[in-house]
């Protein structure tokens, strides 16, 4: 591609949670120039998104956190509520717009760092680095050359997998006529909704004030719903289950997250790496990505500061092996999804469970958690997995949420 050429030390393709987190960490070292290539405003840019994660107070993002909750709750299908206190962890919400503004401002303060609004295309290896073909908003060609490239753009196709489910959802930011929410408690999973023939469904409620909340309807299944189907499910959940009475929908968000045991390559060229969902940062069993992206970004920045570039895998092998078993057992119907997740929250200390979902537990802790679940179906699935073929699946098409 001919046209203007720009050069930088580190090129980050995609300005989502993973891309901006890494750019911020790298710029903070003061050792490298960083350029983020982010699509211009228009259909190629994703709409505002909500990212959630749990943290012990060390994330360093307190000034831009939109809301936080000290307690978590799960409702079983039988209506029983299990409320837990995961301290010292808290559940946090970030809005993508605030995170973007925060990182953009920090990059602007660092020499040699910034954001380029352009559409990124192919990436090629070059002597001593790599270069990316880009198109400026006015349609003119642009080439960006760098010593290192980190690509966080959603992949066009997912790697072959034995199991692929989707976590797909639609959420409403609602305002009620009367106070209906407890701002101290986040409902992570509410199984008091009709369950699909395949997979599972649940409500998700993040109170922002006594009369405001993000209310979502979510499914783990093979195929996303239509928008009217999500709307119908949300309306039923808000009225019949939550009993919100009169309310107004202020805005909505919708997306889909892959839940797969595919092996995502991290390194795709001599100096080209994939990060975020494209690099396997999405936890297969939960769909959470933000916390893994933060850990990976810190590790990459530390390795570059030490002069030894290294991109660690977002999740450990043991965690991924357990996730593969859970996904297959859920996909085959061998386990009752609502009962499985409700049981985890009912019988496991909350802080330990959240560490388990983050892949930060010891082998002994994992055994103690596993023995409280459906051992027979899980064991049968674990013995079956090595003999199952991996098949290709298309990437989700309804957008990607990085929680």
């Amino acid at each position: 591609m001919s046209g203007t050429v720009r050069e930088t030390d580190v090129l980050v393709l995609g300005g989502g949670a993973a891309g901006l987190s890494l750019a911020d960490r790298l710029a903070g070292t003061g050792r490298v120039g960083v350029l983020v290539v982010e699509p211009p405003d228009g259909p190629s840019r994703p709409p505002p998104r909500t990212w959630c994660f749990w943290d012990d107070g060390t994330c360093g993002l307190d000034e831009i956190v939109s809301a936080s909750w000290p307690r978590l709750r799960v409702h079983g299908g039988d209506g029983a509520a299990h409320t837990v206190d995961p301290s010292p962890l808290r559940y946090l919400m970030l809005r993508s717009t605030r995170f973007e503004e925060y990182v953009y401002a920090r990059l602007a303060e660092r020499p040699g760092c910034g954001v380029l609004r352009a559409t990124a295309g192919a990436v090629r290896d070059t002597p001593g680095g790599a270069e990316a073909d880009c198109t400026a908003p006015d349609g003119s060609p642009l080439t960006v050359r760098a010593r290192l490239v980190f690509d966080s753009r959603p992949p066009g196709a997912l790697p072959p997998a034995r199991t692929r489910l989707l976590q797909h959802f639609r959420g409403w930011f609602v305002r009620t006529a009367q106070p209906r929410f407890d701002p101290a408690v986040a409902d992570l999973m509410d199984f008091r909704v009709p369950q699909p023939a395949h997979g599972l469904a649940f409500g998700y409620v993040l109170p922002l004030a006594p009369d405001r909340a993000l209310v979502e309807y979510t499914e783990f299944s093979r195929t996303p719903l239509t928008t009217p189907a999500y709307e119908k499910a949300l309306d039923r959940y808000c009225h019949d289950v939550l009993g919100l009475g009169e309310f107004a929908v202020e805005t909505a968000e919708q997306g889909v997250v892959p839940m797969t045991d595919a092996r995502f390559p991290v390194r795709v060229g001599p100096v080209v790496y994939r990060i975020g969902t494209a690099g396997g940062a999405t936890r297969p069993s939960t769909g959470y990505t933000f916390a893994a992206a933060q850990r990976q970004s810190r590790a990459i920045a530390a390795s570059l500061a030490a002069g030894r570039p290294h991109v660690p895998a977002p999740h450990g092998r043991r965690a991924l092996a357990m996730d593969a078993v859970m996904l297959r057992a859920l996909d085959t119907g061998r386990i009752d999804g609502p009962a499985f997740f409700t049981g985890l929250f009912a019988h496991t200390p909350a802080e330990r469970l959240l560490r388990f979902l983050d892949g930060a537990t010891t082998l002994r802790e994992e055994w103690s958690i596993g023995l409280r679940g459906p051992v027979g179906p899980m064991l049968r699935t674990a013995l079956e997995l090595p003999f199952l073929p991996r098949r290709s699946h298309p990437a989700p098409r309804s957008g990607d949420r990085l929680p």
Side-chain angles (χ1 to χ4, degrees):
M1 175 182 282
S2 59
T4 304
V5 177
R6 290 190 59 168
E7 296 189 356
T8 184
D9 295 323
V10 177
L11 173 61
V12 178
L13 300 178
L20 289 181
S21 296
L22 178 60
D24 183 43
R25 295 285 181 181
L26 293 178
T29 67
R31 293 173 176 264
V32 293
V34 183
L35 182 65
V36 178
V37 174
E38 172 73 342
D41 293 336
S44 59
R45 271 183 68 80
R49 290 144 291 165
T50 299
W51 300 321
C52 292
F53 60 104
W54 37 83
D55 179 70
D56 62 0
T58 61
C59 68
L61 299 172
D62 290 346
E63 65 184 275
I64 59 168
V65 167
S66 299
S68 68
W69 300 270
R71 289 181 289 155
L72 305 175
R73 183 167 55 204
V74 171
H75 290 271
D78 60 359
H82 304 277
T83 304
V84 299
D85 178 353
S87 59
L89 301 176
R90 293 172 66 92
Y91 197 57
L92 308 181
M93 172 199 280
L94 279 180
R95 292 290 284 160
S96 62
T97 48
R98 293 192 67 185
F99 188 62
E100 289 169 0
E101 293 169 357
Y102 171 78
V103 176
Y104 290 171
R106 288 165 63 88
L107 292 177
E109 296 172 352
R110 302 286 182 176
C113 300
V115 178
L116 171 66
R117 288 298 185 91
T119 301
V123 179
R124 294 183 301 277
D125 299 323
T126 62
E131 62 182 24
D133 294 333
C134 302
T135 304
D138 63 3
S140 61
L142 171 66
T143 300
V144 182
R145 294 173 180 163
R147 293 191 295 108
L148 289 170
V149 176
F150 296 94
D151 193 346
S152 69
R153 295 172 296 172
L158 297 174
R162 294 166 298 197
T163 308
R164 190 217 68 166
L165 294 176
L166 299 175
Q167 179 184 151
H168 51 97
F169 72 96
R170 183 171 176 84
W172 287 343
F173 284 87
V174 303
R175 184 181 293 274
T176 56
Q178 300 294 328
R180 300 292 185 185
F181 305 107
D182 180 354
V185 182
D187 285 300
L188 288 190
M189 288 181 157
D190 186 345
F191 293 109
R192 296 175 297 172
V193 298
Q195 294 300 310
H198 186 276
L200 61 85
F202 57 90
Y204 177 67
V205 183
L206 301 182
L208 306 175
D211 63 344
R212 292 184 61 243
L214 169 60
V215 181
E216 289 187 358
Y217 173 81
T218 301
E219 284 193 12
F220 293 179
S221 60
R222 295 176 181 175
T223 308
L225 306 181
T226 64
T227 297
Y230 289 120
E231 294 276 295
K232 181 179 179 180
L234 269 170
D235 188 72
R236 181 189 301 155
Y237 180 57
C238 288
H239 283 106
D240 298 346
V241 178
L242 298 181
L244 298 187
E246 183 181 348
F247 66 89
V249 178
E250 298 181 324
T251 187
E253 64 178 29
Q254 184 169 317
V256 55
V257 180
M259 303 177 71
T260 170
D261 67 351
R263 297 167 178 163
F264 288 83
V266 173
R267 189 170 187 172
V268 293
V271 296
V272 181
Y273 301 87
R274 286 190 179 139
I275 58 174
T277 296
T282 298
R283 184 73 193 266
S285 61
T286 65
Y288 283 97
T289 307
F290 193 87
Q294 301 310 299
R295 291 195 301 271
Q296 190 180 53
S297 296
R298 288 193 293 267
I300 294 172
S303 71
L304 287 182
R308 301 186 300 273
H310 173 63
V311 180
H315 301 290
R317 292 183 179 181
R318 199 166 69 238
L320 293 178
M322 290 186 295
D323 285 357
V325 174
M326 191 281 288
L327 283 179
R328 176 69 180 176
L330 182 62
D331 190 41
T332 58
R334 289 183 188 138
I335 62 171
D336 180 319
F340 174 76
F341 283 105
T342 301
L344 284 180
F345 277 86
H347 303 300
T348 307
E351 187 269 344
R352 182 187 303 171
L353 176 58
L354 296 189
R355 284 192 293 108
F356 172 71
L357 297 178
D358 253 352
T361 42
T362 65
L363 180 59
R364 183 175 181 177
E365 289 174 323
E366 289 158 8
W367 270 108
S368 69
I369 294 172
L371 290 174
R372 294 177 183 271
V375 176
M378 290 297 200
L379 181 58
R380 175 185 172 188
T381 303
L383 295 174
E384 171 190 72
L385 276 176
F387 304 99
L388 297 177
R390 293 181 179 270
R391 297 186 174 90
S392 297
H393 298 276
R397 293 182 295 176
S398 300
D400 184 22
R401 179 178 74 162
L402 303 184

